[in-house]
Amino acid sequence: MRSNLARYSIWQIRDFVRDRGLALLLVGFLIGFTVVGPVKAMGRPIDAQMGKTLLNAVVSQVAFILALIALNGIISTDRKHGYYRFLFSKPISIPSYYAQRFVVYFVGFVACCALLIGAFAIFAHPVSPLAPLAFCALVFLSFGGISFLISSLFRSDWLILVAVFLVSVILNSLWQDREGWRRMVLAILPPLTRLPGTLTDMVNTGSVNTKDLLWLLGYSAICFAAGLFVLRRRPFA
């Protein structure tokens, strides 16, 4: 079983590069161009402060969009297209297979973000890649566990994940100062609204609110464990 899982990792890497990696780089480059291009076209010099502002604008869009693309159909695609009949024709643990795929996709996502940040440093202004790269990784991990659980349960996981994010944003903006049952609903919803504020802290001060970090990663980890439980108990077909 372990040898089969190790062999599958090669195919998972190849599939990520072919199906998602190139798309992530293309979309990320286009988003960066729409932000940096007009500034360059105006002939304005990009100093350190301007470079930091542009970097925040780019990363705040790229991290979310690319994470959603990378996580789309991480489990449900195999069920929808019947790929599981081929994938699991040999003895292999289904939860282990998809946990490994999650790790492969995370590494691939971070690698793509690193290349895009490198392109920004070349064409816009030299920047330290650590803070923006850490934020991108945090976005993926925060969405990742939630997406993993949704994808283990439903076929249209991408639409559901976007809906969950939008509902969380809207209700937090409407009920932020409310008490009672509304406060309980906000506590149950994914804490994804804590993500945008962490980018400024990471880029400007190199730090992040520990409480926000624990909420984001803890909630996602619980969802990821629940997704593994579903894969272990629920018939995949």
Side-chain angles (χ1 to χ4, degrees):
M1 222 179 254
R2 290 182 179 177
S3 62
N4 289 337
L5 193 62
R7 285 197 293 268
Y8 272 129
S9 65
I10 305 300
W11 293 94
Q12 288 172 337
I13 295 171
R14 188 209 65 173
D15 290 343
F16 177 86
V17 173
R18 183 192 64 185
D19 299 334
R20 299 169 195 260
L22 296 178
L24 295 182
L25 291 175
L26 178 60
V27 172
F29 181 81
L30 291 176
I31 294 173
F33 180 79
T34 60
V35 175
V36 178
V39 178
K40 299 284 284 187
M42 293 169 59
R44 294 181 58 184
I46 301 179
D47 55 16
Q49 185 58 42
M50 175 65 75
K52 187 177 292 186
T53 301
L54 291 176
L55 180 65
N56 284 355
V58 172
V59 173
S60 63
Q61 299 178 56
V62 166
F64 288 94
I65 295 174
L66 297 196
L68 291 174
I69 295 174
L71 290 165
N72 179 33
I74 191 169
I75 298 173
S76 61
T77 296
D78 294 339
R79 182 181 290 116
K80 284 190 294 187
H81 296 288
Y83 297 154
Y84 65 91
R85 296 186 180 91
F86 165 75
L87 292 173
F88 307 127
S89 59
K90 294 182 178 181
I92 192 170
S93 167
I94 294 178
S96 297
Y97 173 84
Y98 286 107
Q100 177 175 274
R101 174 182 281 185
F102 183 88
V103 173
V104 168
Y105 281 22
F106 171 67
V107 173
F109 170 84
V110 172
C112 289
C113 290
L115 291 175
L116 292 171
I117 293 171
F120 180 92
I122 294 173
F123 295 107
H125 190 274
V127 294
S128 172
L130 297 181
L133 200 58
F135 176 76
C136 291
L138 178 60
V139 171
F140 184 97
L141 293 177
S142 300
F143 276 94
I146 302 168
S147 178
F148 193 86
L149 174 59
I150 294 173
S151 194
S152 70
L153 293 169
F154 306 103
R155 291 172 180 264
S156 303
D157 57 328
W158 191 86
L159 292 175
I160 296 174
L161 180 62
V162 172
V164 168
F165 177 64
L166 292 177
V167 168
S168 180
V169 170
I170 293 171
L171 293 185
N172 270 279
S173 64
L174 294 176
W175 297 348
Q176 187 174 12
D177 300 323
R178 300 296 182 89
E179 298 297 334
W181 65 271
R182 293 180 178 87
R183 176 61 59 183
M184 294 178 62
V185 171
L186 294 182
I188 296 172
L189 289 173
L192 298 174
T193 53
R194 298 171 183 258
L195 275 171
T198 63
L199 175 60
T200 303
D201 293 338
M202 285 179 145
V203 173
N204 292 337
T205 66
S207 62
V208 63
N209 186 296
T210 304
K211 183 179 178 181
D212 290 345
L213 185 65
L214 291 176
W215 260 106
L216 289 164
L217 297 183
Y219 193 101
S220 184
I222 292 172
C223 291
F224 184 79
L228 293 176
F229 179 81
V230 170
L231 291 174
R232 186 173 291 111
R233 296 293 183 179
R234 181 188 180 189
F236 197 82

